[in-house]
mmCIF file of all heavy atoms in Angstrom:
data_model
loop_
_atom_site.group_PDB
_atom_site.id
_atom_site.type_symbol
_atom_site.label_atom_id
_atom_site.label_comp_id
_atom_site.label_asym_id
_atom_site.label_seq_id
_atom_site.Cartn_x
_atom_site.Cartn_y
_atom_site.Cartn_z
ATOM 1 N N ILE A 1 72.783 86.724 74.340
ATOM 2 C CA ILE A 1 72.144 86.938 75.589
ATOM 3 C C ILE A 1 71.198 85.733 75.909
ATOM 4 O O ILE A 1 70.448 85.353 75.048
ATOM 5 C CB ILE A 1 71.321 88.192 75.545
ATOM 6 C CG1 ILE A 1 72.279 89.330 75.149
ATOM 7 C CG2 ILE A 1 70.671 88.554 76.872
ATOM 8 C CD1 ILE A 1 71.642 90.692 74.690
ATOM 9 N N TYR A 2 71.282 85.227 77.151
ATOM 10 C CA TYR A 2 70.514 84.105 77.554
ATOM 11 C C TYR A 2 69.600 84.395 78.691
ATOM 12 O O TYR A 2 70.023 85.213 79.611
ATOM 13 C CB TYR A 2 71.410 82.885 77.869
ATOM 14 C CG TYR A 2 72.221 82.446 76.721
ATOM 15 C CD1 TYR A 2 73.537 83.094 76.487
ATOM 16 C CD2 TYR A 2 71.756 81.613 75.762
ATOM 17 C CE1 TYR A 2 74.282 82.712 75.464
ATOM 18 C CE2 TYR A 2 72.565 81.292 74.676
ATOM 19 C CZ TYR A 2 73.784 81.784 74.540
ATOM 20 O OH TYR A 2 74.611 81.464 73.409
ATOM 21 N N GLY A 3 68.412 83.893 78.784
ATOM 22 C CA GLY A 3 67.558 84.015 79.928
ATOM 23 C C GLY A 3 66.162 84.463 79.439
ATOM 24 O O GLY A 3 65.785 84.327 78.242
ATOM 25 N N ASN A 4 65.345 84.955 80.385
ATOM 26 C CA ASN A 4 63.980 85.446 80.149
ATOM 27 C C ASN A 4 64.220 86.837 79.672
ATOM 28 O O ASN A 4 63.954 87.766 80.485
ATOM 29 C CB ASN A 4 63.102 85.256 81.303
ATOM 30 C CG ASN A 4 61.767 85.534 81.014
ATOM 31 O OD1 ASN A 4 61.324 85.792 79.910
ATOM 32 N ND2 ASN A 4 60.862 85.644 82.015
ATOM 33 N N VAL A 5 64.555 87.176 78.420
ATOM 34 C CA VAL A 5 64.835 88.438 77.925
ATOM 35 C C VAL A 5 64.002 88.757 76.661
ATOM 36 O O VAL A 5 64.011 87.930 75.711
ATOM 37 C CB VAL A 5 66.351 88.544 77.606
ATOM 38 C CG1 VAL A 5 66.750 89.940 77.014
ATOM 39 C CG2 VAL A 5 67.198 88.272 78.859
ATOM 40 N N ASP A 6 63.355 89.840 76.654
ATOM 41 C CA ASP A 6 62.590 90.353 75.646
ATOM 42 C C ASP A 6 63.559 90.668 74.407
ATOM 43 O O ASP A 6 64.417 91.563 74.559
ATOM 44 C CB ASP A 6 61.716 91.613 75.915
ATOM 45 C CG ASP A 6 60.915 92.109 74.803
ATOM 46 O OD1 ASP A 6 61.315 92.041 73.667
ATOM 47 O OD2 ASP A 6 59.869 92.709 75.208
ATOM 48 N N PRO A 7 63.398 89.962 73.264
ATOM 49 C CA PRO A 7 64.306 90.177 72.199
ATOM 50 C C PRO A 7 64.359 91.708 71.733
ATOM 51 O O PRO A 7 65.421 92.238 71.390
ATOM 52 C CB PRO A 7 63.807 89.357 71.045
ATOM 53 C CG PRO A 7 63.129 88.211 71.779
ATOM 54 C CD PRO A 7 62.512 88.923 72.926
ATOM 55 N N ALA A 8 63.240 92.410 71.705
ATOM 56 C CA ALA A 8 63.234 93.834 71.299
ATOM 57 C C ALA A 8 63.970 94.754 72.276
ATOM 58 O O ALA A 8 64.760 95.661 71.884
ATOM 59 C CB ALA A 8 61.823 94.350 71.186
ATOM 60 N N LYS A 9 63.955 94.348 73.516
ATOM 61 C CA LYS A 9 64.709 95.095 74.624
ATOM 62 C C LYS A 9 66.162 94.839 74.494
ATOM 63 O O LYS A 9 67.036 95.672 74.626
ATOM 64 C CB LYS A 9 64.172 94.763 75.913
ATOM 65 C CG LYS A 9 62.828 95.381 76.248
ATOM 66 C CD LYS A 9 62.320 95.082 77.628
ATOM 67 C CE LYS A 9 60.985 95.811 77.818
ATOM 68 N NZ LYS A 9 60.408 95.622 79.203
ATOM 69 N N ALA A 10 66.536 93.596 74.131
ATOM 70 C CA ALA A 10 67.965 93.229 73.899
ATOM 71 C C ALA A 10 68.496 93.941 72.670
ATOM 72 O O ALA A 10 69.606 94.470 72.817
ATOM 73 C CB ALA A 10 68.030 91.691 73.670
ATOM 74 N N GLN A 11 67.738 94.071 71.656
ATOM 75 C CA GLN A 11 68.216 94.725 70.449
ATOM 76 C C GLN A 11 68.388 96.273 70.789
ATOM 77 O O GLN A 11 69.387 96.884 70.393
ATOM 78 C CB GLN A 11 67.178 94.634 69.279
ATOM 79 C CG GLN A 11 67.603 95.321 68.055
ATOM 80 C CD GLN A 11 68.850 94.760 67.391
ATOM 81 O OE1 GLN A 11 69.031 93.590 67.221
ATOM 82 N NE2 GLN A 11 69.853 95.545 67.101
ATOM 83 N N ARG A 12 67.404 96.770 71.439
ATOM 84 C CA ARG A 12 67.493 98.239 71.774
ATOM 85 C C ARG A 12 68.703 98.500 72.679
ATOM 86 O O ARG A 12 69.365 99.541 72.497
ATOM 87 C CB ARG A 12 66.174 98.752 72.442
ATOM 88 C CG ARG A 12 66.155 100.144 72.856
ATOM 89 C CD ARG A 12 66.057 101.038 71.642
ATOM 90 N NE ARG A 12 66.079 102.394 72.096
ATOM 91 C CZ ARG A 12 66.668 103.445 71.518
ATOM 92 N NH1 ARG A 12 67.296 103.220 70.386
ATOM 93 N NH2 ARG A 12 66.519 104.629 72.010
ATOM 94 N N ALA A 13 68.986 97.640 73.633
ATOM 95 C CA ALA A 13 70.085 97.847 74.474
ATOM 96 C C ALA A 13 71.380 97.826 73.726
ATOM 97 O O ALA A 13 72.319 98.624 74.019
ATOM 98 C CB ALA A 13 70.118 96.689 75.622
ATOM 99 N N ALA A 14 71.490 96.835 72.738
ATOM 100 C CA ALA A 14 72.725 96.767 71.835
ATOM 101 C C ALA A 14 72.808 98.039 71.066
ATOM 102 O O ALA A 14 73.906 98.592 70.823
ATOM 103 C CB ALA A 14 72.679 95.559 71.019
ATOM 104 N N ASP A 15 71.690 98.555 70.376
ATOM 105 C CA ASP A 15 71.689 99.718 69.625
ATOM 106 C C ASP A 15 72.256 100.893 70.485
ATOM 107 O O ASP A 15 73.147 101.733 69.921
ATOM 108 C CB ASP A 15 70.305 100.029 69.090
ATOM 109 C CG ASP A 15 69.735 99.070 68.230
ATOM 110 O OD1 ASP A 15 70.440 98.284 67.509
ATOM 111 O OD2 ASP A 15 68.480 99.100 67.964
ATOM 112 N N LEU A 16 71.722 101.015 71.718
ATOM 113 C CA LEU A 16 72.094 102.231 72.536
ATOM 114 C C LEU A 16 73.627 102.091 72.922
ATOM 115 O O LEU A 16 74.348 103.084 72.860
ATOM 116 C CB LEU A 16 71.277 102.223 73.798
ATOM 117 C CG LEU A 16 69.858 102.725 73.581
ATOM 118 C CD1 LEU A 16 69.020 102.502 74.948
ATOM 119 C CD2 LEU A 16 69.823 104.226 73.272
ATOM 120 N N SER A 17 74.046 100.894 73.121
ATOM 121 C CA SER A 17 75.415 100.716 73.466
ATOM 122 C C SER A 17 76.411 101.036 72.337
ATOM 123 O O SER A 17 77.186 101.987 72.437
ATOM 124 C CB SER A 17 75.743 99.353 73.919
ATOM 125 O OG SER A 17 77.084 99.174 74.189
ATOM 126 N N ILE A 18 76.211 100.422 71.206
ATOM 127 C CA ILE A 18 77.059 100.611 70.010
ATOM 128 C C ILE A 18 76.918 102.018 69.464
ATOM 129 O O ILE A 18 77.914 102.663 69.117
ATOM 130 C CB ILE A 18 76.773 99.534 69.012
ATOM 131 C CG1 ILE A 18 77.219 98.238 69.564
ATOM 132 C CG2 ILE A 18 77.639 99.895 67.760
ATOM 133 C CD1 ILE A 18 78.680 97.844 69.876
ATOM 134 N N GLU A 19 75.750 102.534 69.407
ATOM 135 C CA GLU A 19 75.524 103.825 68.767
ATOM 136 C C GLU A 19 75.635 105.004 69.581
ATOM 137 O O GLU A 19 75.820 106.146 69.125
ATOM 138 C CB GLU A 19 74.156 103.795 67.998
ATOM 139 C CG GLU A 19 73.982 102.724 66.961
ATOM 140 C CD GLU A 19 75.033 102.722 65.996
ATOM 141 O OE1 GLU A 19 75.472 103.776 65.522
ATOM 142 O OE2 GLU A 19 75.252 101.652 65.378
ATOM 143 N N LYS A 20 75.534 104.891 70.900
ATOM 144 C CA LYS A 20 75.502 106.063 71.826
ATOM 145 C C LYS A 20 76.305 106.053 73.014
ATOM 146 O O LYS A 20 77.069 106.987 73.279
ATOM 147 C CB LYS A 20 73.989 106.249 72.275
ATOM 148 C CG LYS A 20 73.694 107.466 73.155
ATOM 149 C CD LYS A 20 72.292 107.680 73.492
ATOM 150 C CE LYS A 20 71.982 108.887 74.280
ATOM 151 N NZ LYS A 20 70.661 109.067 74.628
ATOM 152 N N TYR A 21 76.400 104.957 73.721
ATOM 153 C CA TYR A 21 77.058 104.964 75.081
ATOM 154 C C TYR A 21 78.450 104.434 75.119
ATOM 155 O O TYR A 21 79.299 104.979 75.860
ATOM 156 C CB TYR A 21 76.228 104.181 76.164
ATOM 157 C CG TYR A 21 74.894 104.711 76.368
ATOM 158 C CD1 TYR A 21 73.728 104.039 76.309
ATOM 159 C CD2 TYR A 21 74.707 106.134 76.858
ATOM 160 C CE1 TYR A 21 72.483 104.562 76.552
ATOM 161 C CE2 TYR A 21 73.553 106.603 77.126
ATOM 162 C CZ TYR A 21 72.441 105.778 77.127
ATOM 163 O OH TYR A 21 71.204 106.356 77.255
ATOM 164 N N CYS A 22 78.801 103.525 74.227
ATOM 165 C CA CYS A 22 80.095 102.898 74.407
ATOM 166 C C CYS A 22 81.208 103.751 73.731
ATOM 167 O O CYS A 22 81.351 103.962 72.576
ATOM 168 C CB CYS A 22 80.112 101.535 73.740
ATOM 169 S SG CYS A 22 81.705 100.683 73.703
ATOM 170 N N SER A 23 82.111 104.182 74.702
ATOM 171 C CA SER A 23 83.169 105.112 74.248
ATOM 172 C C SER A 23 84.164 104.461 73.361
ATOM 173 O O SER A 23 84.813 105.051 72.491
ATOM 174 C CB SER A 23 83.849 105.759 75.480
ATOM 175 O OG SER A 23 82.966 106.487 76.341
ATOM 176 N N VAL A 24 84.357 103.196 73.557
ATOM 177 C CA VAL A 24 85.317 102.419 72.763
ATOM 178 C C VAL A 24 84.803 102.307 71.290
ATOM 179 O O VAL A 24 85.544 102.500 70.404
ATOM 180 C CB VAL A 24 85.615 101.049 73.313
ATOM 181 C CG1 VAL A 24 86.555 100.296 72.407
ATOM 182 C CG2 VAL A 24 86.179 101.187 74.739
ATOM 183 N N ALA A 25 83.443 102.035 71.152
ATOM 184 C CA ALA A 25 82.886 101.967 69.803
ATOM 185 C C ALA A 25 83.059 103.371 69.195
ATOM 186 O O ALA A 25 83.402 103.432 67.895
ATOM 187 C CB ALA A 25 81.443 101.596 69.953
ATOM 188 N N ALA A 26 82.739 104.433 69.835
ATOM 189 C CA ALA A 26 82.917 105.724 69.322
ATOM 190 C C ALA A 26 84.298 106.015 68.888
ATOM 191 O O ALA A 26 84.555 106.672 67.860
ATOM 192 C CB ALA A 26 82.368 106.824 70.302
ATOM 193 N N THR A 27 85.270 105.633 69.681
ATOM 194 C CA THR A 27 86.683 105.864 69.304
ATOM 195 C C THR A 27 87.120 105.068 68.080
ATOM 196 O O THR A 27 87.771 105.617 67.224
ATOM 197 C CB THR A 27 87.644 105.403 70.536
ATOM 198 O OG1 THR A 27 87.237 106.182 71.666
ATOM 199 C CG2 THR A 27 89.060 105.530 70.159
ATOM 200 N N LEU A 28 86.654 103.865 68.024
ATOM 201 C CA LEU A 28 86.941 103.021 66.754
ATOM 202 C C LEU A 28 86.303 103.535 65.545
ATOM 203 O O LEU A 28 86.844 103.590 64.490
ATOM 204 C CB LEU A 28 86.591 101.573 67.000
ATOM 205 C CG LEU A 28 87.405 100.809 67.964
ATOM 206 C CD1 LEU A 28 86.807 99.439 68.467
ATOM 207 C CD2 LEU A 28 88.785 100.499 67.372
ATOM 208 N N ARG A 29 85.036 104.032 65.709
ATOM 209 C CA ARG A 29 84.352 104.623 64.522
ATOM 210 C C ARG A 29 85.099 105.888 64.132
ATOM 211 O O ARG A 29 85.270 106.184 62.918
ATOM 212 C CB ARG A 29 82.862 104.950 64.826
ATOM 213 C CG ARG A 29 81.984 103.783 64.601
ATOM 214 C CD ARG A 29 80.491 104.178 64.596
ATOM 215 N NE ARG A 29 80.162 105.028 65.728
ATOM 216 C CZ ARG A 29 79.762 104.531 66.925
ATOM 217 N NH1 ARG A 29 79.706 103.248 67.145
ATOM 218 N NH2 ARG A 29 79.432 105.309 67.894
ATOM 219 N N ALA A 30 85.553 106.690 65.030
ATOM 220 C CA ALA A 30 86.251 108.005 64.748
ATOM 221 C C ALA A 30 87.561 107.660 63.963
ATOM 222 O O ALA A 30 88.043 108.534 63.221
ATOM 223 C CB ALA A 30 86.507 108.756 66.056
ATOM 224 N N ALA A 31 88.123 106.487 64.257
ATOM 225 C CA ALA A 31 89.336 106.043 63.514
ATOM 226 C C ALA A 31 89.062 105.424 62.191
ATOM 227 O O ALA A 31 89.924 104.972 61.474
ATOM 228 C CB ALA A 31 90.091 105.149 64.437
ATOM 229 N N GLY A 32 87.803 105.413 61.825
ATOM 230 C CA GLY A 32 87.354 104.848 60.480
ATOM 231 C C GLY A 32 86.888 103.401 60.484
ATOM 232 O O GLY A 32 86.577 102.919 59.377
ATOM 233 N N ALA A 33 86.619 102.848 61.670
ATOM 234 C CA ALA A 33 86.115 101.426 61.614
ATOM 235 C C ALA A 33 84.674 101.426 61.364
ATOM 236 O O ALA A 33 83.889 102.239 61.935
ATOM 237 C CB ALA A 33 86.484 100.780 62.983
ATOM 238 N N ASN A 34 84.241 100.412 60.677
ATOM 239 C CA ASN A 34 82.836 100.138 60.365
ATOM 240 C C ASN A 34 82.397 99.013 61.303
ATOM 241 O O ASN A 34 82.970 97.891 61.260
ATOM 242 C CB ASN A 34 82.595 99.624 58.881
ATOM 243 C CG ASN A 34 81.235 99.261 58.698
ATOM 244 O OD1 ASN A 34 80.223 99.895 59.117
ATOM 245 N ND2 ASN A 34 81.031 98.218 57.906
ATOM 246 N N ILE A 35 81.552 99.250 62.254
ATOM 247 C CA ILE A 35 81.097 98.299 63.212
ATOM 248 C C ILE A 35 79.705 97.826 62.843
ATOM 249 O O ILE A 35 78.811 98.671 62.864
ATOM 250 C CB ILE A 35 81.074 98.945 64.641
ATOM 251 C CG1 ILE A 35 82.499 99.469 65.024
ATOM 252 C CG2 ILE A 35 80.659 97.843 65.731
ATOM 253 C CD1 ILE A 35 82.615 100.167 66.363
ATOM 254 N N GLN A 36 79.601 96.559 62.690
ATOM 255 C CA GLN A 36 78.292 95.893 62.432
ATOM 256 C C GLN A 36 78.081 94.958 63.677
ATOM 257 O O GLN A 36 79.017 94.437 64.239
ATOM 258 C CB GLN A 36 78.340 95.030 61.112
ATOM 259 C CG GLN A 36 78.559 95.936 59.930
ATOM 260 C CD GLN A 36 78.535 95.104 58.665
ATOM 261 O OE1 GLN A 36 78.060 93.946 58.754
ATOM 262 N NE2 GLN A 36 78.923 95.690 57.544
ATOM 263 N N TYR A 37 76.747 94.743 63.965
ATOM 264 C CA TYR A 37 76.501 93.915 65.052
ATOM 265 C C TYR A 37 75.137 93.215 64.879
ATOM 266 O O TYR A 37 74.325 93.599 64.244
ATOM 267 C CB TYR A 37 76.477 94.748 66.386
ATOM 268 C CG TYR A 37 75.531 95.880 66.425
ATOM 269 C CD1 TYR A 37 74.323 95.771 67.097
ATOM 270 C CD2 TYR A 37 75.906 97.078 65.828
ATOM 271 C CE1 TYR A 37 73.498 96.904 67.167
ATOM 272 C CE2 TYR A 37 75.059 98.178 65.861
ATOM 273 C CZ TYR A 37 73.907 98.104 66.515
ATOM 274 O OH TYR A 37 72.992 99.194 66.648
ATOM 275 N N LYS A 38 75.015 92.090 65.607
ATOM 276 C CA LYS A 38 73.867 91.324 65.635
ATOM 277 C C LYS A 38 73.544 90.831 67.090
ATOM 278 O O LYS A 38 74.504 90.645 67.852
ATOM 279 C CB LYS A 38 73.701 90.229 64.590
ATOM 280 C CG LYS A 38 74.717 89.100 64.854
ATOM 281 C CD LYS A 38 74.486 88.033 63.763
ATOM 282 C CE LYS A 38 75.526 86.907 63.791
ATOM 283 N NZ LYS A 38 75.289 85.913 62.755
ATOM 284 N N VAL A 39 72.238 90.663 67.356
ATOM 285 C CA VAL A 39 71.818 90.184 68.711
ATOM 286 C C VAL A 39 71.227 88.884 68.535
ATOM 287 O O VAL A 39 70.392 88.666 67.838
ATOM 288 C CB VAL A 39 70.910 91.258 69.300
ATOM 289 C CG1 VAL A 39 70.359 90.771 70.714
ATOM 290 C CG2 VAL A 39 71.531 92.675 69.380
ATOM 291 N N LEU A 40 71.611 87.988 69.477
ATOM 292 C CA LEU A 40 70.960 86.636 69.614
ATOM 293 C C LEU A 40 70.483 86.453 71.028
ATOM 294 O O LEU A 40 71.242 86.573 71.879
ATOM 295 C CB LEU A 40 71.962 85.513 69.219
ATOM 296 C CG LEU A 40 72.429 85.513 67.754
ATOM 297 C CD1 LEU A 40 73.762 86.216 67.664
ATOM 298 C CD2 LEU A 40 72.530 84.128 67.200
ATOM 299 N N VAL A 41 69.219 86.164 71.157
ATOM 300 C CA VAL A 41 68.609 85.920 72.447
ATOM 301 C C VAL A 41 68.333 84.348 72.564
ATOM 302 O O VAL A 41 67.550 83.848 71.679
ATOM 303 C CB VAL A 41 67.371 86.720 72.807
ATOM 304 C CG1 VAL A 41 66.756 86.318 74.132
ATOM 305 C CG2 VAL A 41 67.743 88.252 72.716
ATOM 306 N N ASN A 42 68.877 83.648 73.428
ATOM 307 C CA ASN A 42 68.698 82.225 73.526
ATOM 308 C C ASN A 42 69.027 81.552 72.232
ATOM 309 O O ASN A 42 68.382 80.585 71.773
ATOM 310 C CB ASN A 42 67.298 81.859 74.103
ATOM 311 C CG ASN A 42 67.076 82.439 75.467
ATOM 312 O OD1 ASN A 42 67.965 82.359 76.224
ATOM 313 N ND2 ASN A 42 65.941 83.071 75.573
ATOM 314 N N ASP A 43 70.105 82.044 71.588
ATOM 315 C CA ASP A 43 70.619 81.535 70.272
ATOM 316 C C ASP A 43 69.614 81.719 69.087
ATOM 317 O O ASP A 43 69.986 81.251 67.994
ATOM 318 C CB ASP A 43 70.853 80.046 70.367
ATOM 319 C CG ASP A 43 72.167 79.774 71.224
ATOM 320 O OD1 ASP A 43 73.024 80.535 71.262
ATOM 321 O OD2 ASP A 43 72.145 78.705 71.972
ATOM 322 N N ASN A 44 68.672 82.615 69.235
ATOM 323 C CA ASN A 44 67.859 83.028 68.148
ATOM 324 C C ASN A 44 68.218 84.413 67.698
ATOM 325 O O ASN A 44 68.187 85.381 68.537
ATOM 326 C CB ASN A 44 66.357 82.918 68.521
ATOM 327 C CG ASN A 44 65.887 81.460 68.810
ATOM 328 O OD1 ASN A 44 66.154 80.607 68.038
ATOM 329 N ND2 ASN A 44 65.201 81.400 70.031
#
């Protein structure tokens, strides 16, 4: 993610997506996939 973005807000947005909102992530987890993720803001 690039721009004037608060890193904590970016991390929280990714957490909410992968763990709560994204139906594709939920479908893959239900099939046994282990999903790991990391957030980089302005390459940090």
Side-chain angles (χ1 to χ4, degrees):
I1 304 167
Y2 300 90
N4 188 11
V5 177
D6 180 327
K9 289 182 179 183
Q11 180 66 49
R12 180 70 178 141
D15 292 343
L16 286 169
S17 176
I18 295 293
E19 303 300 331
K20 183 175 182 181
Y21 295 125
C22 179
S23 299
V24 179
T27 299
L28 288 165
R29 274 195 310 276
N34 176 39
I35 302 174
Q36 297 182 13
Y37 56 101
K38 67 179 174 181
V39 177
L40 295 98
V41 175
N42 299 316
D43 290 326
N44 296 312

